[in-house]
Amino acid sequence: QVQLVESGGGLVQAGDSLRLSCAASGGSLKYYIVGWFRQAPGKGREFVAGIKWNGGDYTSIADVVKARFTTLTDSVGNTVYLQMNNLEPEDTAVYYCAARSGSVIATRSNSYNYWGQGTQVTVSS
């Protein structure tokens, strides 16, 4: 069973960049679909990005962040990153990584079996 730990959150200003990390133990992320979600206060959990290994990396990015966010992996399959550029106050949320078996990058949070504890991202204007 894979365990996930996110890191890299913090307080930044609008226009700054952050890179979040999702580190795995107990299994390689090469065998899972990894999704990034975020949850702002009073709102539901929102899909942000997903990635799977398929020879090369295949990614899916939500339209709301497509021009600014990307997700990528390390070379050994133990860590997935969410690169966030040109951050906006509306990006303020707790960010989670999650993993699921299968071949589809699902966008619904209840499709994922394994979750990290989340990392807070706060963007000031």
Side-chain angles (χ1 to χ4, degrees):
Q1 179 171 332
V2 67
Q3 291 87 42
L4 305 174
V5 177
E6 302 96 337
S7 61
L11 172 63
V12 297
Q13 293 185 333
D16 286 350
S17 297
L18 274 178
R19 175 174 285 199
L20 305 183
S21 299
C22 175
S25 60
S28 172
L29 291 177
K30 286 185 176 180
Y31 304 109
Y32 294 89
I33 305 293
V34 176
W36 288 96
F37 291 80
R38 67 185 182 185
Q39 188 164 17
K43 295 188 176 181
R45 200 160 288 190
E46 175 187 33
F47 174 81
V48 175
I51 189 167
K52 69 174 183 178
W53 279 262
N54 186 25
D57 291 344
Y58 174 79
T59 64
S60 177
I61 310 295
D63 288 342
V64 67
V65 299
K66 184 166 287 186
R68 301 182 294 116
F69 291 12
T70 189
T71 184
L72 62 157
T73 68
D74 68 359
S75 61
V76 296
N78 291 337
T79 304
V80 172
Y81 304 98
L82 181 67
Q83 178 66 42
M84 307 185 294
N85 298 324
N86 193 21
L87 283 160
E88 302 171 351
E90 293 73 22
D91 297 317
T92 295
V94 177
Y95 284 72
Y96 300 89
C97 67
R100 66 184 296 266
S101 301
S103 59
V104 175
I105 299 176
T107 60
R108 296 180 61 174
S109 60
N110 60 8
S111 297
Y112 290 79
N113 306 106
Y114 308 105
W115 289 83
Q117 82 288 353
T119 185
Q120 176 71 47
V121 172
T122 303
V123 185
S124 63
S125 58

